[in-house]
Amino acid sequence: MEMIGGKIMRKFLAIALASALTLSMASGCKKVDEGSPAPDVGSAPAGDAAAPAADTSAPADNAASGDVIKIGVFEPQTGENGGGGLQEVYGIRYANQMFPTVNIGGKEYKIELVEADNKSDKTEAVTAAQSLISAGCSVVLGSYGSGVSIAAGEIFADAQVPAIGCSCTNPQVTLGNDYYFRVCFIDPFQGTVMANYAAQDGAKTAAIITQLGDDYSSGLGNFFKNAFVELVGEGSIVAEEQFQTNQTDFKAILTNIKAANPDVIFAPSSIATAPLIIKQARELGITAKIMAGDTWENGSIIENAGADAEGVTLSTFFDEGDTSNQVAAEFITGFKEYLTSIGQDDIIPAVSALGYDAYLAAIKAIEAAGSTEPAAIRDALSTLSYEGVTGAISFDENGDANKDMAFIKVIENGQFKFLKTVTLGE
């Protein structure tokens, strides 16, 4: 296990968090039957899939209806981040199969998942969030994608319904929002991890590619930049390029990067964009190591980029080879069987494990609160501590998980291969 020096990390976090502050569904609800395997709704970004019809039968209050308590699933199942969102949904659905009920004051309540597709879009995210509030959800899980999470944050806070993010890593998701929590690490740490890895691997110069207007991409890119400069020195960032949402031709910005001749390219982006950047970079003869964050841990990137994906390095939250944790060991066995049952490959994405952990947080908070009332569940979350698939989870004063470890993986022989873990050190 590799450790990042505490003095460097503390200094960087102060700079990075200040920088982050300056950077900155007509969707329906779908009930999932917990008693049978959840339907496979696809594994690729399905932008042409029809949105589920709105559920208008639910009461407009937040109390449990009868012996049922509703947990909202606020995730992109279509659009640019649909592939990653579905992976998170699978983790949540599996958790619901494993824990379909919750005990409140000695009474057993069935947990009903209410899914709202935010379509990877900030405007749709607001509509999706509102639909979950109207459906009477007592707590909400999600979302994959920091931008949509930030966009919906005020909706959850105003309604006083707690939300638990699974993999939304931008600091602004929870900052100033007493009703948003998350079970993942955040981008100041992730950016530092990747900058540290690049520097220790011998990189003296770096180029950064980010998506204009995307909170995750621009935020993580900025954290990497600050950390790399701190570690390597002024002038070490030799190129910074931005691209538009839905852009498919990256040759102009890659030509600029090729001229700068960096040792590494850090390109945090969506799953859909990743293989295009990778393939076009190699087509132009760029040999620099390509690196990214957690969103790139998706098999479709390897499928679409082919041999060009070899050597790509990324940071992530979990490795299925780590069975030191009993909760993780049990999850790995059961979730592989679940994935096979719904027609998916039995490779476990880290975001699925986080989806499972977010569901665990919700039901443990409900039990601790002894209530279906959202405000009581929110209060219980603030003092919650439990063992999840991705490690011990508790929340700090911002609602962020107290996590200090990341996994570094490389694409090798068409597979994600674990390299090392990185943790904070004093």
Side-chain angles (χ1 to χ4, degrees), residues 155-210:
I155 302 298
F156 299 133
D158 287 348
Q160 297 189 331
V161 172
I164 308 171
C166 308
S167 66
C168 42
T169 51
N170 188 289
Q172 294 179 72
V173 172
T174 59
L175 199 61
N177 189 333
D178 290 339
Y179 277 82
Y180 227 125
F181 298 77
R182 64 176 133 209
V183 296
C184 60
F185 56 60
I186 60 176
D187 286 335
F189 172 64
Q190 182 171 209
T192 302
V193 164
M194 293 311 289
N196 185 77
Y197 173 78
Q200 290 199 347
D201 198 44
K204 301 299 182 185
T205 57
I208 300 172
I209 302 174
T210 57

Side-chain angles (χ1 to χ4, degrees), residues 69-217:
I69 184 169
K70 296 181 180 181
I71 294 180
V73 182
F74 172 66
E75 293 284 358
Q77 297 193 30
T78 57
E80 186 178 27
N81 290 319
L86 281 167
Q87 289 178 334
E88 238 161 65
V89 171
Y90 293 151
I92 294 168
R93 290 177 181 170
Y94 173 67
N96 180 241
Q97 285 194 6
M98 297 302 295
F99 304 99
T101 63
V102 62
N103 189 289
I104 305 173
K107 184 176 182 179
E108 205 77 12
Y109 284 76
K110 178 182 178 181
I111 299 171
E112 180 183 291
L113 296 182
V114 183
E115 298 183 4
D117 180 5
N118 62 47
K119 303 181 183 179
S120 313
D121 180 85
K122 293 179 182 179
T123 301
E124 295 285 354
V126 172
T127 303
Q130 290 169 335
S131 75
L132 293 173
I133 302 302
S134 298
C137 295
S138 293
V139 59
V140 173
L141 310 180
S143 174
Y144 184 100
S146 293
V148 290
S149 300
I150 294 168
E154 189 174 341
I155 302 298
F156 299 133
D158 287 348
Q160 297 189 331
V161 172
I164 308 171
C166 308
S167 66
C168 42
T169 51
N170 188 289
Q172 294 179 72
V173 172
T174 59
L175 199 61
N177 189 333
D178 290 339
Y179 277 82
Y180 227 125
F181 298 77
R182 64 176 133 209
V183 296
C184 60
F185 56 60
I186 60 176
D187 286 335
F189 172 64
Q190 182 171 209
T192 302
V193 164
M194 293 311 289
N196 185 77
Y197 173 78
Q200 290 199 347
D201 198 44
K204 301 299 182 185
T205 57
I208 300 172
I209 302 174
T210 57
Q211 181 175 329
L212 190 64
D214 182 84
D215 297 284
Y216 167 81
S217 181

Side-chain angles (χ1 to χ4, degrees), residues 321-373:
D322 182 9
T323 57
S324 58
N325 169 345
Q326 183 61 31
V327 178
E330 293 174 359
F331 167 79
I332 290 165
T333 300
F335 191 61
K336 281 180 173 289
E337 294 175 357
Y338 170 78
L339 288 172
T340 301
S341 75
I342 61 172
Q344 301 294 307
D345 293 335
D346 68 347
I347 298 171
I348 301 177
V351 295
S352 296
L354 288 172
Y356 186 94
D357 278 352
Y359 183 94
L360 287 183
I363 63 171
K364 289 180 181 296
I366 292 167
E367 288 178 336
S371 172
T372 65
E373 290 302 317

